[in-house]
Amino acid sequence: MLLDPVPDEDLGCLRRVLAVPLALLTLVAAFFCWTAVTIRPGGSWDDGAYAAIVLACLLTVTASGTATGLWLLPSVRRVMGWTWIAPAWLLGAVAGVRWAWVG
């Protein structure tokens, strides 16, 4: 059809190309989220561990936000549904809760 901006035969290739940065950003977010959740401070005096948790949470939220920014582009949203960005949002939410819980 003339109104279809992306032909059906191109969707598979386009999804694979666009999935690479989204998957990499989600993996980065997952690593930092895992780091934030697994760090256990030795006590209230362990400022280094608290700083590491905050940094890991910040990096998780940043990677999730970058993935969301990429997904919000109209050309990306047209071929990739909500299920592609949902894991990054979930990781960002977990990091946000962990960040709030530490402070």
Side-chain angles (χ1 to χ4, degrees), residues 52-102:
I53 292 170
V54 169
L55 178 63
C57 290
L58 176 68
L59 292 172
T60 302
V61 170
T62 301
S64 296
T66 304
T68 300
L70 177 65
W71 182 79
L72 285 175
L73 295 172
S75 60
V76 177
R77 271 187 317 187
R78 186 173 28 241
V79 295
M80 303 181 92
W82 290 94
T83 56
W84 283 92
I85 196 65
W89 286 349
L90 179 65
L91 291 166
V94 168
V97 168
R98 176 69 168 143
W99 195 350
W101 188 52
V102 167

